Amino acid sequence: AIRMTQSPPSLSASSGDRVTITCRANQSISRYLAWYQQKPGKAPKLLISAASTLQSGLPSRFSGSGSGTDFTLTITSLQSEDFATYSCQQYYSYPPTFGQGTRVEIK
Amino acid sequence: QVHLVESGGGVVQPGRSRRLSCAASRFSFSSYGMHWVRQAPGKGLEWLAVISSGGSKQYYADSVKGRFTISRDNPKNTLFLQMNSLSADDTALYYCVATQEDYLGSESYAASFESWGQGTLVTVSA
């Protein structure tokens, strides 16, 4: 199975900050990479697929980039509703695998 | 808009079995690939199993292969997960997930997960 490693495991930030989360695969996954946002007690929500395609209706402050093994989720101008856990997932091959998550906390 | 409601969770003793259900509505269930994903308390997401739209193909994570069985009843718009030989490591919130990409086989690309249920909690404890 492909291993996905996220960094950092957690971060503290203030509203208005720019936040960057990294996800690395242990083999090339082309652009078969998704990002999810999860708030406490809620199901994950798909933010980005195909490494950089923002899901319809979501704010443009979320963006994704990367290909191959290294990927980035960027949140420009962090808003209060963005404090959550973010996870990456590869869907290049079965079994699909997730990173361990990055918790974005209020500083 | 896809609507998924899981049920069947609860407290189960180690070594026993449990069957989870996922009732689907507001979309063409029989055209979608369906998955189960779980999340242990305070842990990350773990994909468990997929079933093709017609129900003929399944694939499992190594952690549950031989113990869990995914199935579906398309006329009743329901997905199932039969879980046997449960242990404390299976304690988790179990989500069903619908994907427009069908499961074509283990050599195919997997899918991103756009539609999730709210989850049902399974606690394995004596």
Side-chain angles (χ1 to χ4, degrees):
Chain A
I2 297 174
R3 185 186 314 157
M4 306 300 293
T5 303
Q6 280 182 242
S7 60
S10 64
L11 63 90
S12 296
S14 301
S15 292
D17 285 353
R18 178 186 179 98
V19 167
T20 299
I21 299 168
T22 297
C23 180
R24 175 166 289 174
N26 69 343
Q27 68 180 76
S28 177
I29 58 170
S30 185
R31 294 177 59 83
Y32 290 86
L33 191 283
W35 289 99
Y36 300 85
Q37 177 193 66
Q38 188 176 22
K39 297 182 178 179
K42 299 293 187 181
K45 177 182 181 180
L46 178 63
L47 295 178
I48 287 170
S49 60
S52 61
T53 301
L54 186 66
Q55 296 304 291
S56 177
L58 296 184
S60 59
R61 62 181 180 271
F62 292 96
S63 65
S65 65
S67 66
T69 60
D70 295 314
F71 301 86
T72 299
L73 172 69
T74 300
I75 311 171
T76 58
S77 190
L78 198 67
Q79 303 298 302
S80 58
E81 60 266 31
D82 301 335
F83 292 97
T85 297
Y86 294 85
S87 299
C88 62
Q89 176 232 336
Q90 68 81 17
Y91 54 103
Y92 180 78
S93 67
Y94 276 95
T97 46
F98 294 86
Q100 77 278 21
T102 296
R103 185 175 178 183
V104 177
E105 300 173 316
I106 302 172
K107 183 183 288 184
Chain B
Q1 183 174 351
V2 172
H3 188 59
L4 300 166
V5 178
E6 300 93 337
S7 61
V11 179
V12 59
Q13 293 179 328
R16 303 298 292 267
S17 299
R18 196 82 171 186
R19 189 175 84 154
L20 305 182
S21 299
C22 172
S25 60
R26 307 177 194 171
F27 69 106
S28 180
F29 178 72
S30 61
S31 299
Y32 279 57
M34 295 298 297
H35 304 250
W36 287 98
V37 175
R38 71 182 177 185
Q39 187 168 36
K43 303 296 185 182
L45 298 160
E46 179 187 16
W47 175 86
L48 299 178
V50 61
I51 188 167
S52 61
S53 59
S56 63
K57 300 184 181 70
Q58 305 87 27
Y59 191 83
Y60 298 91
D62 286 346
S63 59
V64 303
K65 194 178 300 182
R67 297 190 302 124
F68 289 13
T69 301
I70 188 172
S71 62
R72 64 193 297 163
D73 185 336
N74 281 349
K76 294 185 177 180
N77 290 341
T78 305
L79 176 73
F80 301 101
L81 185 68
Q82 176 67 42
M83 305 185 295
N84 299 330
S85 303
L86 287 163
S87 72
D89 289 342
D90 297 313
T91 293
L93 187 59
Y94 286 74
Y95 295 103
C96 71
V97 181
T99 63
Q100 294 188 54
E101 294 91 349
D102 200 0
Y103 174 62
L104 302 177
S106 61
E107 298 305 309
S108 63
Y109 295 117
S112 59
F113 300 133
E114 66 261 24
S115 301
W116 299 66
Q118 86 290 346
T120 187
L121 180 63
V122 174
T123 303
V124 183
S125 174

